[in-house]
Amino acid sequence: MDGTDSKVNLGSIPLVALNVTVRKKLGLYLNPKHTVAADWTAVAETMGFSYLEIKNYEASRNPTKTILDDWAARNSETSVGKLVSILEEVERKDIVEDLRPLIDEDVRKYLETQKKKAEPPVQVPEVDSCVPRTPERSGITVDDIPGGIPEMFDAFICYCQSDFEFVLEMIRELEQTEYNLKLCVFDRNVLPGSCVWTITSELIERRCKRMVVVISDEYLDSDACDFQTKFALSLCPGARSKRLIPVVYKSMTKPFPSILRFLTVCDYTRPCTQAWFWVRLAKALSLP
């Protein structure tokens, strides 16, 4: 990295900073079996995965992506710097050199986003710490009161457009019943005109107690859902705060996302448990 960027400590940059492009290119390098160069299995072993886990990953269509997701989910100390060190340790400096410009660009964008999210000091004698202090955060939802306390929610709903009918059902079952929960549904609650990533990060981190992830085949192809899920996971490594609740409401043809497979799923596809579905989900969202 050039200029002031050369001083950035990659060890302090979380793995979530790497976007889809870099992750796909890593797969192109590491997924194919090599006889002379280390592949994904060597990387997984260096990350600390067991022999049985590595054998299980062989069934994945993209084992590199799977191990990166699982590594980040189980280890709160993962970072871009640690990944680079592992690639160098398994003697794949060629990958580091080829992808370094893309990695540096992702890190630059991540740091810019964090800088924009940082709240500048307010030069007033007394201030409510709950009041948003930047234009981006004060007035991002329909019921936000300018200069007032930000609108808060019980859960942020992570979904793709093709699953919106189920989201509407979720609104009816959780908001318009005795549960009386308050859900943050992007298409309904967020005002247009601001940066999607900035708003999403603000809502997930500061305004919503939990996040419901509506899992479907279409979800797996959504960059927005991918970002939201990984951002939420980065806030609670190992699911210590029960922040994420995966929901499956229809049959899938693609494998369940590995990054969420260690979480207990609320499954609407099983007729024998449908009667308890909304009760379980409502109680999970009502936890303090």
Side-chain angles (χ1 to χ4, degrees):
M1 302 174 79
D2 298 325
T4 56
D5 287 346
S6 61
K7 300 177 182 179
V8 173
N9 175 18
L10 294 183
S12 66
I13 307 298
L15 204 63
V16 72
L18 297 183
N19 68 19
V20 175
T21 300
V22 171
R23 293 167 186 266
K24 285 182 177 178
K25 287 185 178 294
L26 280 169
L28 292 177
Y29 281 105
L30 294 171
N31 285 340
K33 286 288 186 179
H34 287 286
T35 55
V36 293
D39 54 29
W40 69 268
T41 58
V43 172
E45 186 176 351
T46 307
M47 286 176 172
F49 290 98
S50 67
Y51 171 79
L52 289 177
E53 287 175 316
I54 293 173
K55 291 295 290 182
N56 186 57
Y57 290 143
E58 289 179 354
S60 172
R61 291 186 303 171
N62 187 344
T64 298
K65 179 182 182 300
T66 303
I67 64 171
L68 285 176
D69 290 344
D70 283 8
W71 185 49
R74 69 166 58 178
N75 189 344
S76 61
E77 297 181 357
T78 56
S79 67
V80 174
K82 182 64 176 175
L83 176 61
V84 170
S85 297
I86 288 174
L87 290 172
E88 291 177 342
E89 185 176 340
V90 299
E91 299 183 352
R92 291 307 305 265
K93 292 184 179 180
D94 57 312
I95 298 177
V96 176
E97 292 175 0
D98 287 350
L99 296 187
R100 192 57 188 257
L102 293 175
I103 293 174
D104 289 349
E105 179 64 13
D106 281 358
V107 169
R108 183 187 67 78
K109 290 180 179 177
Y110 173 81
L111 291 174
E112 283 184 358
T113 300
Q114 295 304 303
K115 186 177 180 181
K116 288 179 181 178
K117 286 172 56 182
E119 299 175 339
V122 180
Q123 301 300 320
V124 293
E126 186 175 347
V127 66
D128 185 341
S129 61
C130 292
V131 176
R133 300 169 188 161
T134 66
E136 293 168 288
R137 293 179 178 178
S138 64
I140 64 176
T141 63
V142 172
D143 291 329
D144 265 352
I145 300 173
I149 296 176
E151 185 180 13
M152 305 300 288
F153 301 89
D154 291 299
F156 180 92
I157 311 302
C158 172
Y159 64 95
C160 60
Q161 290 300 316
S162 61
D163 299 323
F164 194 65
E165 283 297 320
F166 179 71
V167 174
L168 293 176
E169 183 178 358
M170 189 180 296
I171 290 172
R172 290 191 294 270
E173 293 288 344
L174 298 179
E175 287 190 340
Q176 301 168 12
T177 59
E178 70 275 13
Y179 301 122
N180 198 31
L181 293 168
K182 190 172 183 179
L183 308 180
C184 181
V185 178
F186 201 92
D187 291 288
R188 178 190 66 172
N189 296 98
V190 177
L191 292 174
S194 299
C195 173
V196 172
W197 308 117
T198 301
I199 292 174
T200 303
S201 301
E202 162 74 7
L203 290 169
I204 294 172
E205 183 175 6
R206 300 177 185 273
R207 305 241 197 145
C208 300
K209 290 195 297 182
R210 287 179 172 77
M211 185 166 90
V212 174
V213 187
V214 180
I215 309 295
S216 65
D217 287 339
E218 293 77 14
Y219 160 91
L220 297 173
D221 296 323
S222 169
D223 287 341
C225 290
D226 182 67
F227 168 81
Q228 292 168 14
T229 303
K230 288 173 180 173
F231 179 78
L233 276 174
S234 72
L235 300 175
C236 59
R240 287 191 295 269
S241 64
K242 298 181 182 178
R243 194 182 185 102
L244 267 77
I245 302 175
V247 167
V248 177
Y249 79 100
K250 63 181 180 180
S251 299
M252 298 176 60
T253 59
K254 298 178 182 179
F256 188 84
S258 60
I259 195 173
L260 296 176
R261 68 182 180 182
F262 65 97
L263 297 177
T264 303
V265 176
C266 210
D267 192 345
Y268 194 65
T269 65
R270 298 166 59 197
C272 60
T273 61
Q274 276 187 5
W276 308 317
F277 178 85
W278 295 113
V279 176
R280 292 178 66 220
L281 182 55
K283 288 191 174 181
L285 295 179
S286 300
L287 292 173

